[in-house]
């Protein structure tokens, strides 16, 4: 390689390579750098290059390569320890642990060699004066892996008892190992308690909480803590995804998908990492991966999807069934090699247990949408077992008829399916056993399932009812045929067709030759047709509808009793009256009538019919700002509908509830409803439309809870489906905005800037430019934090122009201040920074002078004070380390002048600016001390203490100011005048 001409260049190159993604490319670069180091003829350069190579091998899929550079390092240490500096000496002993673990993970390394290595490690650690904690931890790993549980328990106890020193693994890694042992011993709760400090962020490292989050998934599922498991999957997979060396943790996430009904996502995870099927550098993680692949493929096969094409090893097209067999064979072969080496069956037994697991949750919605088509892992609907006659394989037609009549008489949701089963059974035996009445009901219900296309079947049913001697039901079927015409858009024809059945059924009812049920059926069909007319021609149709509905109510009221059908007619009639009231603008009456209809349906044992009307009530309430009633109605709709609401209906109800509940800031429950909405939208095949909107909402609610990693995963999933045509460009801008906020909190500043810039580009075309300005400003912040000062300055400049055009002085001043800080470290230097800070002061001052509103003056005063404060901080920090006394004196004098102005302006703002004033006062005091003016510094410190005399010490800001003031006094001479 060119460019490596000295040790410093080598070190820079190794540092740059360390920042590259894990994988073979980084490893290859490390090999090249070692070759370059050898040319420098500097022993420490070779040692550092070997250490770098060992490190990148360890954190990659080529872990088996690390033994060679380690052996060479150890040989150099034994021959010339003086070539190692303090850091490399520490590193050499540190990687003993990597090598011992690495040997354990390679089944070709004999167990005797590993035991010998443990002894070598213990000896060298003792010579170096290190605690035996790391040695006992390594011994524990060996015993736990081989299944020597008694030895593992002893080593575990010795590990925890030994002192922590510089050779001990970090707290996060140690806790991961300790928790994993608790899992192996069947103590899930204890493991999760051990992991709590890692999960809560108290301890972390380069690979934690990544591994703990992955390891916690199955224990959480076993304990029924599914919400936590979902959160850990979303948060943890985001961490594991870019890290090639974490195949074992990746496998845990695939396993989670297989155990929670998320097989489609599991397939997506496999497709993201094709090399994991074949990378051989770390057999132990390959064993883990192939075991969960077998588990996932077995699950798909069990669901009837064995012939489904799935991602697998390159070079072959795989079905789930084929990959299941391949993965199982690979896993068992690897397990067998470990067991052969270990002299036990422990690894193989645990591998078989893992592959044989059963789902722990039938379906756990995750909030993210997989790219796999929903049908790819749709659960096949199990056929309803046919009712058969005793001692026969033939369906029992009489029993099927009885069941179908029971369901239809009580208006149960699956009545039509029951009649379809009757029709199928009758067709199988030629219909010879069926009377005309039976055939009439079969045809009638088939027509009901056809909707607008059922006209001819209804007419045929009418003929069969007449043949069976039921004139009233024949007229009801004809009326249903007329309504089917109306559904097809033929309203006039429908009104003409229903006229005769209407007249005839009333005559029959008057003669007591048909029942109220049949008459009510005809009157209901007629009322429904008239309602269709109302929707098409609101003018003049309302009166006719009203008469028809009241006639129906007059007929059924008093006759309902326990007749579910008549109760349903009465409830629907009142809902029609509610619609009439709505059409006339009487919303209050409409809502009351819908509520009454709802109560009637519920009292009749038909709550699922009430769903539509509760939704209407919710809409009225929402429009009137009565969010409590809207929430009540939506909750009632979900409760009433239960499992009978179609998937798209459930999605809509949950999404509406999410928006209402979120509006009163219960973001946790709102997130739960948005999650359900996303799940049901996916189930309905609307993942790219309604589902994307639900994910958008879910991500926002998660962000409001501070769950940034989960929110980012969900929002990125939503973004893939959001489109300006379907969802509006506002939704896209908001989603990217939220993603930027998430990534900023997660420290992914470059990516945050990209999303904020993309959002700003869309908002640039909007008439109102406030969002454009805000996003440009946020993008500038992210670019600055990402270490891209030139790009950040450009974005701040653009934001400042926008703030100026909007008349937003606060935004303009803040952009100028930010540019000043950037300039201080850029080519413009201190002079450029001074100019920008001066501009910020002038802009703020001019705005303050022209402000004619007390609140605006107060806000601008605070902005001016903060600008002076920042100007002072900037000047104080602008002094180079090698500056002379005169330069330091001048800079601190200028800084003090700005701090004094800040103190004065904050003081003019009164009590609301107390903490800001005292903060500036203390900053000025430290400058006074540095300028050798102890009396002035003491005066400022005492002024701060006086300002808080009698203040509540429970206030954190009060305590902080008092503490700093006392520190300033302690740093000054006892007699400041001396």
């Amino acid at each position: 390689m060119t460019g490596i001409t000295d040790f410093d260049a080598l070190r820079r190159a190794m540092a740059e390579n360390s920042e590259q993604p894990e994988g073979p490319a980084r490893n290859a670069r490390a090999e090249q750098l070692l070759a370059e180091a050898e040319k420098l003829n500097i022993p420490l350069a070779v040692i550092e290059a070997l250490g770098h190579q060992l490190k990148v091998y360890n954190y990659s899929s080529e872990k088996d390569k690390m033994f060679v550079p380690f052996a060479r390092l150890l040989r150099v240490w034994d021959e010339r320890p003086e070539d190692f500096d303090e850091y490399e000496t520490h590193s050499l002993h540190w990687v003993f642990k990597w090598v011992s673990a690495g040997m354990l993970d390679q089944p070709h390394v004999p167990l005797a060699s590993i035991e010998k290595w443990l002894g070598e490690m213990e000896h060298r650690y003792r010579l170096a004066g290190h605690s035996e904690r790391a040695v006992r931890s390594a011994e524990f790993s060996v015993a736990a892996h081989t299944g020597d549980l008694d030895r593992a328990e002893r080593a575990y106890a010795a590990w925890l008892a030994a002192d922590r020193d510089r050779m001990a693994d970090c707290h996060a890694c140690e806790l991961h190992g300790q928790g994993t042992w608790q899992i192996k011993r069947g103590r899930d709760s204890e493991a999760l308690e051990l992991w709590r400090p890692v999960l809560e962020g108290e301890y972390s490292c380069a690979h934690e909480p990544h591994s703990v989050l992955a390891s916690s998934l199955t224990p959480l599922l076993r304990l029924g803590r599914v919400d936590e498991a979902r959160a850990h999957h979303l948060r943890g997979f985001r961490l594991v995804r870019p890290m090639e060396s974490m195949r074992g943790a990746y496998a845990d996430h695939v396993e989670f998908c297989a155990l929670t009904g998320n097989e489609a996502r599991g397939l997506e995870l496999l497709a993201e990492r094709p090399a994991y099927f074949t990378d051989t550098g770390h057999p132990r993680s390959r064993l883990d991966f192939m075991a969960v692949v077998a588990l996932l493929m077995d699950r798909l096969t069990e669901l009837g999807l064995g012939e489904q094409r799935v991602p697998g090893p390159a070079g072959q097209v795989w079905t789930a069934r084929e990959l299941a067999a391949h993965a199982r064979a690979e896993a068992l072969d690897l397990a067998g090699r470990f067991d052969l080496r270990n002299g036990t069956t422990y690894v193989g037994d645990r591998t078989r247990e893992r592959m044989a697991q059963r789902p722990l949750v039938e379906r756990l919605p995750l909030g993210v949408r997989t790219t796999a088509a929903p049908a790819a892992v749709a659960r096949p609907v199990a056929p309803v077992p046919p009712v058969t006659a005793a001692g026969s394989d033939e369906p029992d037609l009489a029993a099927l008829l009885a069941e179908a009549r029971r369901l239809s008489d009580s208006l149960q949701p699956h009545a039509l399916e029951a009649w379809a089963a009757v029709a199928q059974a009758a067709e199988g035996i030629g219909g010879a056993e069926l009377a005309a009445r039976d055939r009439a009901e079969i045809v009638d219900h088939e027509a009901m399932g056809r909707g607008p296309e059922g006209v001819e079947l209804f007419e045929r049913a009418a003929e069969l009812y007449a043949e069976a001697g039921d004139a009233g039901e024949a007229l009801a079927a004809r009326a249903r045929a007329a309504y089917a015409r109306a559904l097809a858009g033929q309203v006039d024809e429908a009104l003409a067709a229903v006229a005769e059945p209407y007249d005839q059924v009333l005559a029959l009812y008057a003669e007591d030759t048909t029942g109220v049920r049949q008459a009510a059926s005809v009157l209901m069909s007629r009322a429904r047709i008239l309602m269709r007319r109302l929707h098409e021609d609101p003018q003049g149709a309302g009166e006719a509808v009203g008469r028809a509905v009241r006639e129906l109510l007059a007929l059924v009221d008093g006759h309902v009793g326990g007749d579910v059908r008549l109760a349903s007619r009465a409830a629907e009639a009142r809902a029609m009256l509610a619609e009439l009231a709505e059409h006339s603008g009487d919303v209050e009456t409409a809502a009351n009538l819908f509520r009454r209809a709802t109560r009637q349906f519920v009292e009749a044992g038909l709550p699922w019919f009430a769903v539509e009307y509760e939704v209407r009530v919710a809409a009225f309430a929402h429009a009137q700002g009565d969010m409590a009633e809207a929430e009540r109605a939506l909750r009632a709709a979900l409760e009433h509908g239960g499992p009978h609401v179609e998937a798209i209906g459930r999605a809509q109800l949950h999404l509406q509830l999410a928006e209402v509940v979120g509006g009163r800031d219960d973001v946790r429950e709102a997130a739960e409803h948005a999650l359900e909405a996303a799940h049901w939208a996916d189930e309905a095949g609307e993942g790219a439309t309604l589902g994307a909107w639900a994910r958008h909402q879910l991500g926002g609610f998660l962000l409001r809870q501070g769950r940034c990693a989960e929110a980012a995963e969900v929002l990125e999933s939503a973004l893939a489906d959001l489109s300006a045509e379907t969802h509006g460009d506002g939704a896209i801008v908001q989603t990217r905005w939220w993603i930027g906020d998430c990534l900023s909190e997660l420290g992914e500043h470059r990516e945050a800037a990209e999303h904020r810039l993309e959002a700003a580009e869309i908002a640039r075309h909007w008439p109102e430019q406030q969002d454009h300005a805000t996003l440009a400003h946020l993008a500038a912040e992210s670019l600055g934090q990402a270490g891209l000062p030139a790009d950040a300055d450009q974005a701040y400049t653009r934001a400042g122009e926008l703030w100026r055009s909007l008349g937003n002085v606060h935004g303009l001043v803040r952009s100028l201040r930010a540019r000043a800080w950037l300039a201080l470290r850029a080519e413009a230097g201190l002079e450029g920074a001074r100019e920008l800070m001066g501009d910020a002061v002038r802009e703020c001052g001019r705005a303050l002078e022209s402000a004619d509103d007390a609140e605006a003056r107060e806000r601008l005063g605070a902005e001016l004070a903060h600008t002076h404060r920042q100007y002072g901080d900037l000047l104080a920090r602008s002094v180079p380390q090698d500056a002379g006394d005169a330069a330091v004196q001048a800079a601190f004098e200028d800084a003090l002048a700005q701090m004094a102005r800040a103190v004065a302006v904050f003081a003019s703002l009164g009590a609301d600016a107390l903490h800001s004033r005292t903060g500036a006062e203390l900053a000025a005091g430290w400058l006074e001390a540095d300028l050798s003016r102890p009396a002035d510094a003491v005066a400022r410190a005492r002024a701060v203490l006086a300002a808080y005399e009698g203040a509540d010490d429970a206030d954190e800001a009060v305590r902080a100011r008092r503490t700093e003031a006392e520190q300033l006094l302690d740093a000054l001479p006892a007699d400041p005048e001396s």
Side-chain angles (χ1 to χ4, degrees):
M1 292 290 294
T2 59
I4 307 298
T5 57
D6 55 42
F7 201 174
D8 287 341
L10 175 69
R11 282 174 165 165
R12 287 194 299 271
M14 289 190 295
E16 290 171 3
N17 195 43
S18 292
E19 297 301 316
Q20 297 305 305
E22 296 176 347
R26 187 171 74 159
N27 295 352
R29 175 63 172 151
E31 292 162 5
Q32 294 168 345
L33 291 173
L34 175 59
E36 293 296 314
E38 289 169 337
K39 298 175 184 176
L40 297 177
N41 198 30
I42 300 174
L44 185 58
V46 175
I47 290 169
E48 290 188 13
L50 284 167
H52 174 66
Q53 188 181 74
L54 193 156
K55 179 179 178 180
V56 299
Y57 283 155
N58 184 61
Y59 292 118
S60 78
S61 60
E62 298 179 312
K63 290 177 183 284
D64 55 334
K65 290 186 175 182
M66 70 178 175
F67 302 115
V68 172
F70 180 75
R72 185 174 170 187
L73 272 172
L74 196 59
R75 186 170 62 253
V76 173
W77 168 260
D78 288 338
E79 294 173 356
R80 297 188 306 278
E82 65 276 8
D83 289 346
F84 288 72
D85 62 14
E86 182 180 356
Y87 178 81
E88 292 303 325
T89 299
H90 174 270
S91 296
L92 175 70
H93 287 81
W94 181 268
V95 297
F96 264 88
K97 299 179 296 182
W98 295 358
V99 174
S100 62
M103 288 181 174
L104 196 62
D105 296 338
Q106 303 288 336
H108 69 276
V109 178
L111 192 59
S113 299
I114 297 172
E115 295 286 3
K116 181 180 178 181
W117 180 256
L118 277 176
E120 178 75 9
M121 179 180 175
E122 183 173 11
H123 172 68
R124 288 179 180 267
Y125 270 40
R126 187 179 299 113
L127 286 177
H130 297 308
S131 163
E132 67 171 12
R133 189 177 182 94
V135 178
R136 298 286 76 82
S137 173
E139 181 190 4
F140 160 77
S141 298
V142 173
H145 170 68
T146 60
D148 188 343
L149 304 185
D150 291 338
R151 181 189 181 193
E153 287 284 15
R154 292 193 302 273
Y156 183 84
W159 168 22
L160 270 59
D163 293 335
R164 280 188 56 82
D165 67 350
R166 295 176 63 207
M167 283 299 117
D169 283 342
C170 74
H171 280 288
C173 288
E174 282 207 330
L175 289 173
H176 179 224
Q178 292 162 19
T180 301
W181 176 242
Q182 300 303 319
I183 296 297
K184 284 186 177 182
R185 304 299 281 161
R187 299 188 283 258
D188 290 344
S189 296
E190 290 85 342
L192 291 164
E193 182 58 27
L194 275 169
W195 289 335
R196 185 178 52 77
V198 183
L199 295 171
E200 294 179 356
E202 183 178 346
Y203 301 126
S204 63
C205 68
H207 285 72
E208 293 296 353
H210 316 41
S211 296
V212 164
L213 285 165
S215 297
S216 72
L217 295 172
T218 303
L220 284 169
L221 291 175
R222 284 196 293 259
L223 292 170
R225 294 160 61 176
V226 295
D227 291 338
E228 292 174 76
R230 176 196 299 113
H232 287 196
H233 170 63
L234 294 176
R235 178 182 162 202
F237 184 68
R238 184 174 189 83
L239 294 172
V240 168
R241 178 187 279 134
M243 304 187 75
E244 186 210 36
S245 64
M246 301 200 72
R247 179 164 53 182
Y250 201 98
D252 291 338
H253 287 278
V254 176
E255 177 182 49
F256 168 83
C257 293
L259 298 178
T260 58
N262 286 287
E263 296 86 3
R265 181 165 173 83
L267 292 177
E268 187 174 308
L269 267 55
L270 297 186
E272 284 192 31
R273 283 290 188 182
Y276 276 175
F277 287 99
T278 52
D279 285 343
T280 59
H282 191 241
R284 194 170 180 181
S285 68
R286 185 160 183 258
L287 165 58
D288 292 335
F289 185 75
M290 297 309 285
V292 300
V293 169
L295 172 68
L296 177 62
M297 295 305 120
D298 282 346
R299 182 65 182 145
L300 289 171
T301 303
E302 183 179 329
L303 290 170
L305 299 165
E307 304 312 311
Q308 169 79 32
R309 286 184 58 175
V310 294
Q316 179 177 336
V317 175
W318 296 90
T319 66
R321 195 184 313 278
E322 291 167 342
L323 186 57
H326 171 79
R328 177 175 288 99
E330 289 283 318
L332 291 176
D333 176 66
L334 284 164
R337 289 162 55 194
F338 278 109
D339 282 342
L340 181 64
R341 189 269 304 274
N342 299 338
T344 69
T345 63
Y346 188 71
V347 174
D349 292 342
R350 294 188 68 84
T351 300
R352 291 181 181 85
E353 289 174 11
R354 191 171 197 181
M355 293 190 293
Q357 290 178 99
R358 303 299 304 152
L360 296 169
V361 181
E362 183 178 352
R363 179 73 106 182
L364 178 62
L366 301 178
V368 292
R369 180 168 175 254
T370 59
T371 56
V377 290
R379 268 79 178 141
V381 178
V384 178
V387 180
T388 57
S392 170
D393 292 333
E394 295 297 325
D396 187 336
L397 189 55
L400 288 172
L401 268 168
E403 177 64 7
R405 286 190 177 119
R406 184 189 69 79
L407 293 174
S408 56
D409 283 346
S410 56
L411 298 178
Q412 296 299 305
H414 300 299
L416 292 181
E417 288 91 331
W419 280 106
V422 171
Q424 184 177 0
E427 184 179 350
I429 59 176
E433 298 181 19
L434 293 176
R437 173 74 188 201
D438 300 333
R439 287 182 281 126
E441 290 183 83
I442 291 172
V443 175
D444 199 5
H445 286 89
E446 183 181 352
M448 293 176 193
R450 297 280 187 91
E453 299 174 359
V455 176
E456 292 183 6
L457 285 171
F458 277 128
E459 297 286 3
R460 175 59 183 154
E463 294 172 3
L464 289 168
Y465 281 126
E467 182 182 333
D470 192 337
E473 203 59 61
L475 292 171
R478 287 176 59 194
R480 287 192 282 274
Y483 178 54
R485 293 181 188 279
L487 291 176
Q490 302 169 13
V491 179
D492 290 337
E493 293 87 338
L495 282 172
V498 81
E500 184 178 355
Y502 168 71
D503 291 335
Q504 290 182 2
V505 83
L506 289 179
L508 290 176
Y509 182 68
E511 296 168 1
D512 204 23
T513 54
T514 194
V516 66
R517 180 187 281 193
Q518 288 74 22
S521 180
V522 174
L523 268 59
M524 177 55 77
S525 292
R526 181 170 176 268
R528 287 171 175 170
I529 294 168
L530 287 167
M531 285 298 297
R532 301 291 296 186
R533 166 59 60 83
L534 179 68
H535 291 307
E536 292 186 3
D537 180 19
Q539 302 300 322
E543 187 176 343
V545 174
R547 285 197 303 271
V549 172
R550 291 186 181 91
E551 182 181 25
L552 172 59
L553 282 170
L555 175 68
V556 299
D557 275 349
H559 294 88
V560 172
D563 192 319
V564 172
R565 283 181 177 271
L566 291 181
S568 172
R569 302 295 187 207
E572 185 178 348
R574 286 196 167 80
M576 289 178 174
L577 291 177
E579 286 196 56
L580 284 174
E582 181 184 3
H583 272 282
S584 68
D586 188 351
V587 174
E588 185 176 351
T589 298
N592 287 332
L593 284 167
F594 276 131
R595 291 189 193 98
R596 187 173 176 186
T598 295
R599 285 196 300 272
Q600 286 185 278
F601 275 124
V602 173
E603 289 168 0
L606 304 170
W608 47 87
F609 285 114
V611 172
E612 175 187 353
Y613 306 125
E614 290 284 20
V615 171
R616 301 284 285 275
V617 171
F620 292 149
H622 198 289
Q624 294 172 339
D626 187 352
M627 305 313 293
E629 173 62 6
E631 183 177 338
R632 181 212 63 78
L634 289 168
R635 289 186 188 281
L638 270 175
E639 180 184 351
H640 295 331
H644 307 303
V645 179
E646 292 184 353
I648 191 65
R650 289 202 207 187
Q652 292 165 338
L653 285 171
H654 279 294
L655 188 54
Q656 290 179 63
L657 256 177
E659 292 172 352
V660 171
V661 174
R664 59 174 173 78
D665 286 332
D666 188 347
V667 291
R668 184 174 294 279
E669 185 185 352
E672 292 171 1
H673 286 295
L675 175 67
E676 288 294 321
H679 167 67
W680 289 111
D682 289 347
E683 289 290 304
E686 295 292 335
T689 51
L690 185 64
W693 181 254
R695 274 179 271 279
H696 162 83
Q697 295 283 65
L698 173 58
F701 292 134
L702 290 171
L703 175 58
R704 285 167 65 182
Q705 295 177 63
R707 296 158 65 179
C708 294
E710 297 166 66
E713 195 75 7
V714 170
L715 289 166
E716 287 167 355
S717 177
L719 187 62
D721 287 321
L722 289 172
S723 69
E725 296 76 19
T726 302
H727 305 94
D729 55 10
I732 298 173
V733 167
Q734 183 64 79
T735 299
R736 287 195 180 276
W737 193 328
W738 281 338
I739 293 173
D741 291 348
C742 292
L743 298 180
S744 180
E745 286 295 319
L746 295 170
E748 301 174 32
H749 299 298
R750 186 185 293 264
E751 295 80 3
E754 291 173 1
H755 281 284
R756 286 168 167 174
L757 289 170
E758 289 280 357
E761 179 60 25
I762 298 173
R764 182 170 70 88
H765 303 287
W766 292 355
E768 169 55 53
Q769 289 290 285
Q770 177 73 26
D771 286 341
H772 182 198
T774 304
L775 284 161
H777 199 113
L778 290 171
E781 289 180 4
S782 294
L783 289 165
Q785 290 170 314
L788 300 168
D791 293 329
D793 182 71
Q794 184 177 358
Y796 275 126
T797 301
R798 177 60 180 147
E801 294 168 354
L802 290 165
W803 291 130
R804 189 185 296 279
S805 70
L806 290 166
N808 189 319
V809 178
H810 299 278
L812 172 60
V813 167
R814 290 169 190 178
S815 66
L816 287 167
R817 293 197 311 238
R819 289 182 62 205
W821 284 104
L822 290 169
L824 184 63
R825 297 165 179 80
E827 185 177 344
L830 178 58
E831 288 308 309
R834 280 179 174 272
E835 183 178 349
L836 287 163
M837 275 294 187
D839 288 345
V841 170
R842 286 186 288 275
E843 292 286 352
C844 210
R846 280 196 294 267
L848 183 58
E849 289 175 4
S850 61
D852 55 4
D853 173 81
E855 183 180 349
R857 284 195 297 274
E858 185 173 343
R859 290 184 63 230
L860 286 165
E863 198 72 73
L864 178 60
H866 282 296
T867 303
H868 282 304
R869 168 69 198 265
Q870 284 203 32
Y871 200 169
D873 286 335
L874 181 143
L875 292 169
R877 298 179 193 180
S878 67
V879 183
Q881 289 185 345
D882 57 353
D885 291 344
V888 173
Q889 176 85 11
F892 281 12
E893 289 284 5
D894 288 348
L896 181 58
Q898 292 296 331
M899 288 297 180
R901 293 188 185 107
V903 170
V905 179
F906 279 132
S908 71
L909 298 175
D912 288 345
L914 175 61
H915 296 327
S916 297
R917 175 177 72 79
T918 54
E921 190 89 67
L922 287 167
W926 289 109
L927 286 168
E928 302 272 23
D930 288 335
L931 288 167
S932 301
R933 298 170 188 166
D936 294 333
V938 166
R940 291 189 182 277
R942 288 175 177 166
V944 171
L945 291 173
Y948 289 112
E949 189 173 345
D952 183 4
D953 201 46
D955 186 317
E956 185 177 345
V958 172
R959 292 200 310 275
R961 292 291 186 270
R962 283 175 172 164
T963 299
E964 187 178 353
E966 288 162 357
Q967 289 172 341
L968 177 55
L969 289 172
D970 290 343
L972 295 167
D975 181 6
E977 299 298 334
S978 61

